[in-house]
Coordinates of all heavy atoms in Angstrom, one line a residue:
G43 N 18.5 -11.8 -54.0 CA 17.1 -11.7 -53.5 C 16.3 -12.8 -54.2 O 16.8 -13.9 -54.5
G44 N 15.0 -12.5 -54.4 CA 14.1 -13.5 -55.0 C 13.8 -14.6 -53.9 O 14.1 -14.4 -52.7
S45 N 13.3 -15.7 -54.3 CA 12.9 -16.7 -53.3 C 13.9 -17.9 -53.2 O 14.0 -18.5 -52.1 CB 11.5 -17.3 -53.8 OG 11.7 -17.8 -55.1
T46 N 14.7 -18.2 -54.2 CA 15.5 -19.3 -54.2 C 16.5 -19.4 -53.1 O 16.7 -20.4 -52.4 CB 16.3 -19.5 -55.6 OG1 15.3 -19.5 -56.6 CG2 17.1 -20.7 -55.6
D73 N 20.9 -6.5 -55.4 CA 19.8 -5.6 -56.0 C 18.7 -5.6 -54.9 O 18.7 -6.3 -53.9 CB 19.2 -6.2 -57.3 CG 18.4 -7.5 -57.1 OD1 18.7 -8.3 -56.2 OD2 17.4 -7.6 -57.9
R75 N 14.3 -4.3 -54.5 CA 13.1 -3.7 -55.0 C 12.9 -2.4 -54.3 O 13.1 -2.3 -53.1 CB 11.9 -4.6 -54.8 CG 12.0 -5.9 -55.6 CD 12.8 -7.0 -54.8 NE 12.8 -8.3 -55.6 CZ 12.0 -9.3 -55.4 NH1 11.0 -9.1 -54.6 NH2 12.1 -10.4 -56.1
N85 N 14.1 -7.5 -50.7 CA 15.2 -8.5 -50.6 C 15.9 -8.5 -49.2 O 16.3 -9.5 -48.7 CB 16.2 -8.3 -51.7 CG 15.6 -8.7 -53.0 OD1 14.7 -9.5 -53.1 ND2 16.2 -8.2 -54.1
G144 N 21.0 -15.0 -58.5 CA 19.8 -15.9 -58.9 C 19.6 -15.7 -60.4 O 20.4 -15.0 -61.1
L145 N 18.6 -16.4 -60.9 CA 18.4 -16.4 -62.4 C 16.9 -16.4 -62.6 O 16.2 -17.2 -62.0 CB 19.0 -17.6 -63.1 CG 18.8 -17.6 -64.6 CD1 19.6 -16.5 -65.3 CD2 19.2 -19.0 -65.1
G146 N 16.4 -15.4 -63.3 CA 14.9 -15.3 -63.7 C 14.7 -16.2 -64.9 O 15.6 -16.5 -65.7
H150 N 17.2 -12.9 -66.7 CA 17.8 -11.8 -65.9 C 18.5 -12.3 -64.7 O 18.2 -13.4 -64.2 CB 16.7 -10.8 -65.5 CG 15.9 -11.1 -64.3 ND1 14.6 -11.7 -64.4 CD2 16.1 -11.0 -63.0 CE1 14.2 -11.9 -63.2 NE2 15.1 -11.5 -62.3
T151 N 19.4 -11.5 -64.2 CA 20.1 -11.8 -62.9 C 20.2 -10.5 -62.1 O 20.3 -9.5 -62.7 CB 21.4 -12.5 -63.1 OG1 21.9 -13.0 -61.8 CG2 22.5 -11.6 -63.7
A152 N 20.2 -10.6 -60.8 CA 20.1 -9.4 -60.0 C 18.9 -8.6 -60.6 O 17.9 -9.3 -60.8 CB 21.4 -8.6 -59.9
R180 N 13.5 -0.8 -59.2 CA 14.5 -1.5 -58.5 C 15.9 -0.8 -58.6 O 16.0 0.1 -59.4 CB 14.7 -2.9 -59.2 CG 13.5 -3.8 -59.1 CD 13.5 -4.8 -60.3 NE 12.4 -5.8 -60.1 CZ 12.6 -7.1 -59.7 NH1 13.9 -7.5 -59.5 NH2 11.6 -7.9 -59.6
K203 N 13.3 -22.8 -64.8 CA 14.5 -22.1 -65.2 C 15.4 -22.9 -66.2 O 16.4 -22.4 -66.6 CB 15.3 -21.9 -63.9 CG 14.6 -21.2 -62.7 CD 14.4 -19.7 -63.0 CE 13.7 -19.0 -61.9 NZ 14.3 -19.0 -60.6
Ligands
6PG301 C1 15.2 -10.1 -57.4 C2 16.4 -11.0 -57.6 C3 16.3 -11.7 -58.9 C4 16.1 -13.1 -58.6 C5 15.5 -13.9 -59.8 C6 15.1 -15.3 -59.4 O1 15.3 -9.1 -56.7 O2 14.1 -10.5 -57.9 O3 17.6 -10.5 -57.3 O4 17.3 -11.5 -59.8 O5 17.3 -13.7 -58.2 O6 14.3 -13.2 -60.2 O7 14.1 -15.2 -58.5 P1 13.5 -16.5 -57.7 O8 14.6 -17.0 -56.9 O9 12.4 -16.0 -56.9 O10 13.1 -17.5 -58.8

Side-chain angles (χ1 to χ4, degrees):
S45 56
T46 305
D73 73 326
R75 295 89 177 266
N85 287 338
L145 183 67
H150 81 262
T151 189
R180 297 153 172 254
K203 303 288 176 67

